[in-house]
């Protein structure tokens, strides 16, 4: 299995930014694995979108990857500050620059401010034997930073509420295609029963948070499977 895109220490720091709760080592491994799955899917989608002969991925390939696979469109908090995505909305000014009137722009969230420290872009690209320009690496770093912070927030909420209420999976349907029929024998699932104390974020809490962060059934299932494998490998080491 590919190496995690960042060290456990960095993942723990992200959780510490949003919650006072302790996060277990297996939970850290699970969070790193889920983020690796997301970045891998984005990178592979960008490679598929790149023109023949292109040796380095560029931000436009990232945009194409997200357009082709909405399951990886999960970092809305980052898009508001990304020069690449701001340009798509007609914004040409860097998110770090003051406005024309001299006043500072709205403050960045902790996830955006700390995105540079994650440095998952290069490690994720290397694991896939891919290369990218610095701007593309910046985008991967930002997406990873916001995503891990979101995992931390949702995992802490799961602990606080004693579980997460699940209403089944989301099925993506292309325009013009009929929606798949729902079986009456498969009712919405009830709230999960959480194990553990109210002071520690465990593996199950991160996995529940993953179901909240990844709405696409395909990438969600792959992320959960790979995270469980990563935790099992860590426990067996």
């Amino acid at each position: 299995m590919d190496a995690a895109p960042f060290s456990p220490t960095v993942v723990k720091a992200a959780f510490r930014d949003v919650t006072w709760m302790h996060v277990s080592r297996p939970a850290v491994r699970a969070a790193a694995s889920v983020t690796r799955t997301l970045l891998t899917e984005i990178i592979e989608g960008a490679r598929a979108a790149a023109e023949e002969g292109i040796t380095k991925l560029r931000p436009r390939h990232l945009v194409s990857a997200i357009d082709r696979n909405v399951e990886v469109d999960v970092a809305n908090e980052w898009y508001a500050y990304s020069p690449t995505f701001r340009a798509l909305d007609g914004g040409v000014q860097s998110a770090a620059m003051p406005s024309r009137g001299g006043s500072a722009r709205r403050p960045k969230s902790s996830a955006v401010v700390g995105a540079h420290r994650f440095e998952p872009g290069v490690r994720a690209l290397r694991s896939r034997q891919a290369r990218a320009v610095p701007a593309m690496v910046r985008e991967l770093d930002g997406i990873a930073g916001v995503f891990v912070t979101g995992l931390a927030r949702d995992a802490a909420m799961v602990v606080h509420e004693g579980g997460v209420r699940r209403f089944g999976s989301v099925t993506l349907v292309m325009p013009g295609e009929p929606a798949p029929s729902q079986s009456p024998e498969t009712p919405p699932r009830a709230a999960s029963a959480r194990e553990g104390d109210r002071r520690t974020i465990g593996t199950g809490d991160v996995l529940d948070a993953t179901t909240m962060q990844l709405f696409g059934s395909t990438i969600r299932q792959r992320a959960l499977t790979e995270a469980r494998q990563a935790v099992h490998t860590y426990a067996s080491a």
Side-chain angles (χ1 to χ4, degrees), residues 24-87:
S24 70
R25 291 182 179 180
V28 168
R29 302 285 173 171
S33 175
V34 170
T35 310
R36 177 184 59 230
T37 301
L38 172 65
L39 292 185
T40 297
E41 189 72 14
I42 292 175
I43 291 171
E44 291 304 314
R47 294 174 74 171
E51 302 85 348
E52 184 177 356
I54 294 294
T55 58
K56 288 187 177 182
L57 299 177
R58 300 180 180 277
R60 69 173 183 272
H61 302 136
L62 169 65
V63 175
S64 296
I66 293 176
D67 285 342
R68 294 184 179 191
N69 183 4
V70 296
E71 290 192 2
V72 300
D73 188 8
V74 298
N76 293 332
E77 193 174 352
W78 167 250
Y79 301 149
Y81 300 98
S82 161
T84 296
F85 290 91
R86 283 169 55 82

Side-chain angles (χ1 to χ4, degrees), residues 107-120:
K108 297 183 181 180
S109 69
S110 60
V112 175
V113 170
H116 66 281
R117 75 179 181 194
F118 284 82
E119 302 180 358

Side-chain angles (χ1 to χ4, degrees), residues 189-203:
R189 291 176 290 174
S192 61
R194 179 184 179 274
E195 298 180 355
D197 59 49
R198 295 295 183 92
R199 300 182 300 277
T200 302
I201 295 175
T203 302

